Amino acid sequence: MKDMVKNALVHACVYFTIAMALWLIVGFVFAGPVEGIVVSASILAACVFMALLQSLWFTDRVMKRPGYPVRILGFGVCGIVVLGACAWLGGWVPRAVPEAWITFAVIYLLLLVLFTVVFSFVYRNEVAKYSDALKRFKARGSEGGQ
């Protein structure tokens, strides 16, 4: 049941993204670059680019050597550049107000730290669970087979 719900949610996200991209194209064709369409397009672009950055920095398929701190730093630096560009092009933050950009950067950094702490905690708990299960498995194997 859990896999079915997860699968349904993934499909819903994919369908929503495709529909949003198509409707943005239609919106640009018929209404031009009006504020709502530009903001929506920049949010979609930010989501796509951040997902690509996550795949780049947090999978072993692209980079095998970097440790977690290096991955966080690389993702964080690339992420602020991507989100800053999307915010600039999409008009998320007033361009002429430096305080707004500072606030934007501070919020980004706080969220990056928060998510890093939460994911580190979850990861450590998962590693501990698997380590305990492996110890029990090995203990059971040594009792019965030797």
Side-chain angles (χ1 to χ4, degrees), residues 29 63 65 92 119 125-126:
V29 168
M63 289 183 270
R65 299 267 184 224
W92 303 355
F119 283 119
N125 285 341
E126 288 295 313

Side-chain angles (χ1 to χ4, degrees), residues 49-50 53 57 73-85 104 108:
F49 283 115
M50 292 303 282
L53 286 176
W57 287 101
L73 181 63
F75 176 79
V77 170
C78 293
I80 192 74
V81 170
V82 165
L83 289 179
F104 177 81
Y108 171 80

Side-chain angles (χ1 to χ4, degrees), residues 49-134:
F49 283 115
M50 292 303 282
L52 290 173
L53 286 176
Q54 184 179 8
S55 295
L56 171 73
W57 287 101
F58 294 105
T59 59
D60 289 335
R61 291 182 182 162
V62 179
M63 289 183 270
K64 295 188 186 309
R65 299 267 184 224
Y68 193 62
V70 172
R71 291 176 187 269
I72 289 291
L73 181 63
F75 176 79
V77 170
C78 293
I80 192 74
V81 170
V82 165
L83 289 179
C86 290
W88 181 268
L89 295 171
W92 303 355
V93 180
R95 291 181 178 157
V97 182
E99 295 84 7
W101 287 98
I102 292 169
T103 302
F104 177 81
V106 167
I107 290 170
Y108 171 80
L109 292 173
L110 289 174
L111 288 173
L112 181 64
V113 167
L114 175 69
F115 284 121
T116 300
V117 168
V118 168
F119 283 119
S120 295
F121 180 75
V122 169
Y123 180 74
R124 281 191 188 133
N125 285 341
E126 288 295 313
V127 167
K129 281 189 337 191
Y130 285 123
S131 182
D132 289 343
L134 182 60

